[in-house]
Amino acid sequence: MIKSMTGYGGAKGVSGNIDIGVEIKSVNSRHLDVSVKIPRMFISLEESLKAIVQKYISRGKVDVFVSIDSSASDDIEIKVNHSLAKAYVDAVKSIAVDNRIINSWGTYQLGTALDIAKFPDVLQAAKREIDKDKFLVDISEILETALTEFDAMRTREGEKLKTDMSERLSEIERLTGLVEEISPRSVATYRAKLETRLNEVLQSTDIDEARILTEAAIFADRVSVSEEVVRLRSHISMLHSFLSATEPVGRKIDFLLQEFNRESNTIGSKGNDAEMSKVTVDLKAEIEKIREQAQNVE
């Protein structure tokens, strides 16, 4: 199945009271390049998420954006540093005793618990540890949902690419048939021109038919494109099979199109008349259009 390398997908979900959003975007690339952008405190999950993406995608530059919102979560925990608080109380009591700071009831004035809590580091706010294994399961499910949407979009785009390339491949097949048809005609035309020239040069002298046959045979061998046509038809058949394949074939199509170009260039170099030159130019143009589309194929 032909798939495009460009696509987009997104999904949202929750893990406990934590909201999670995932967006996936991709563009063309010769190789697979996956980048996961996730808040720093969850960076340890990056490789696991990359591994999931790589199960779905074999080629392209893929950016995965993960947003995590825990503002609605009750994961804030206030911890009391009891030893530090006791040390503050002892220090305050020492100040009260040394300076005979006594309240109206005749006891030492030490302040309230709130006063002690205001001292540095007595109270510490911290996030409760989350269950990372469960969190990874939840975020992985959301990522897979986004990948499913992403893959569906790439498949739709791939169908469009396949349709366009198939139409152009049919045109290449037609042009190949024209090349096969024109080539023998060019040899006959060359023989007729050769006879005319020899008649002009030799005039009344009898023309050696064997010489004409030899020259025509040499020319026919030089301009023969039968081998190129056979190889080109083989490439056409192979490309048809690639377009119907179920696995990624973008790289294979790239390499095969190089062979298409090689054969068309050889046919062009052997062509010696305007008709063959025109067909060759059209052939190259169609190959180039397929090559441009193939740059988008996974």
Side-chain angles (χ1 to χ4, degrees), residues 45-233:
L45 305 179
E46 181 178 353
E47 291 305 316
S48 297
L49 299 181
K50 276 186 179 181
I52 294 172
V53 173
Q54 288 166 356
K55 291 191 300 183
Y56 284 78
I57 306 166
S58 65
R59 191 182 184 208
K61 186 180 186 307
V62 186
D63 289 315
V64 180
F65 303 92
V66 181
S67 61
I68 297 174
D69 182 5
S70 59
S71 59
S73 176
D74 57 353
D75 61 347
I76 301 298
E77 182 180 11
I78 303 298
K79 295 183 178 180
V80 180
N81 190 330
H82 291 285
S83 59
L84 182 60
K86 185 177 183 305
Y88 278 129
V89 169
D90 291 343
V92 170
K93 185 176 181 180
S94 174
I95 293 172
V97 170
D98 291 346
N99 294 279
R100 297 193 60 78
I101 301 174
I102 301 173
N103 59 26
S104 57
W105 291 281
T107 58
Y108 292 110
Q109 180 69 42
L110 300 181
T112 65
L114 183 59
D115 294 326
I116 301 301
K118 292 178 181 178
F119 284 111
D121 300 325
V122 171
L123 299 181
Q124 296 176 344
K127 282 186 172 289
R128 290 192 181 92
E129 288 292 324
I130 65 170
D131 184 341
K132 288 190 175 180
D133 290 337
K134 182 180 183 307
F135 187 78
L136 177 57
V137 170
D138 293 339
I139 197 172
S140 296
E141 289 178 355
I142 297 166
L143 174 59
E144 297 224 20
T145 301
L147 282 166
T148 300
E149 180 183 317
F150 171 77
D151 214 40
M153 179 177 178
R154 293 197 307 138
T155 301
R156 290 193 299 272
E157 292 298 316
E159 283 300 315
K160 295 176 184 177
L161 292 173
K162 178 181 176 180
T163 299
D164 184 77
M165 288 191 288
S166 295
E167 290 173 356
R168 298 193 183 284
L169 192 55
S170 295
E171 178 63 9
I172 288 174
E173 200 162 9
R174 186 188 72 81
L175 292 169
T176 301
L178 281 179
V179 167
E180 203 168 22
E181 181 184 330
I182 293 169
S183 184
R185 293 209 306 259
S186 67
V187 175
T189 302
Y190 173 77
R191 174 172 174 155
K193 288 181 178 178
L194 182 62
E195 287 180 347
T196 301
R197 280 202 220 80
L198 287 174
N199 275 319
E200 290 174 353
V201 173
L202 300 176
Q203 294 180 350
S204 61
T205 307
D206 291 336
I207 300 172
D208 186 354
E209 181 66 22
R211 181 180 176 185
I212 293 177
L213 290 173
T214 301
E215 289 290 336
I218 293 171
F219 176 79
D221 183 62
R222 183 166 62 83
V223 300
S224 173
V225 293
S226 58
E227 291 183 12
E228 289 76 12
V229 167
V230 168
R231 285 195 291 267
L232 201 50
R233 290 195 183 281

Side-chain angles (χ1 to χ4, degrees), residues 169 172 176 179-180 224-239 256-267 269-270 283 287:
L169 192 55
I172 288 174
T176 301
V179 167
E180 203 168 22
S224 173
V225 293
S226 58
E227 291 183 12
E228 289 76 12
V229 167
V230 168
R231 285 195 291 267
L232 201 50
R233 290 195 183 281
S234 174
H235 299 334
I236 290 169
S237 176
M238 188 173 294
L239 185 50
L256 185 59
L257 287 172
Q258 293 176 26
E259 298 303 315
F260 270 83
N261 274 319
R262 185 174 289 111
E263 303 306 336
S264 65
N265 286 335
T266 304
I267 290 171
S269 66
K270 288 184 174 182
L283 185 62
I287 293 171

Side-chain angles (χ1 to χ4, degrees), residues 10-54:
K12 293 182 179 180
V14 296
S15 178
N17 292 323
I18 300 175
D19 294 324
I20 301 169
V22 175
E23 286 185 285
I24 306 169
K25 298 178 182 178
S26 67
V27 294
N28 301 349
S29 177
R30 290 180 62 83
H31 307 286
L32 178 60
D33 179 13
V34 180
S35 173
V36 176
K37 296 174 176 61
I38 190 170
R40 183 172 294 277
M41 68 177 296
F42 297 98
I43 200 71
S44 61
L45 305 179
E46 181 178 353
E47 291 305 316
S48 297
L49 299 181
K50 276 186 179 181
I52 294 172
V53 173
Q54 288 166 356

